[in-house]
Amino acid sequence: MKNNLPFTKRNYQIMTAGLLVLVVGFIIMTLDNQPYGFGFTGLTLGPLIVITGFIIELFAILYKPADKNK
């Protein structure tokens, strides 16, 4: 029986990991103690982690496992 779903279990696992990275990035941005988030964590570290999370999400969407039947 052929699976007609666009994503496999592995895609969803990678998407979940990307979502967790996004949440961690946003939490890090809120933990900045400087006024208006102008410290290192709110202005540099948090956004870098959020961008990494979006890259992971893009990879999860584009990831296609190798076909074992070939």
Side-chain angles (χ1 to χ4, degrees):
M1 181 173 169
K2 185 176 180 191
N3 186 0
N4 291 328
L5 295 175
F7 298 125
T8 61
K9 180 181 178 182
R10 184 71 180 147
N11 291 93
Y12 289 114
Q13 290 172 339
I14 298 171
M15 283 182 198
T16 303
L19 184 63
L20 290 174
V21 171
L22 282 169
V23 169
V24 167
F26 282 114
I27 289 173
I28 286 175
M29 283 193 280
T30 62
L31 294 177
D32 193 9
N33 293 330
Q34 296 294 322
Y36 305 108
F38 286 132
F40 173 75
T41 57
L43 209 58
T44 305
L45 184 62
L48 285 175
I49 293 175
V50 169
I51 289 171
T52 303
F54 281 120
I55 291 171
I56 293 170
E57 290 293 329
L58 180 66
F59 176 76
I61 292 170
L62 297 178
Y63 177 75
K64 187 169 185 172
D67 193 12
K68 294 181 181 178
N69 295 330
K70 287 185 178 181

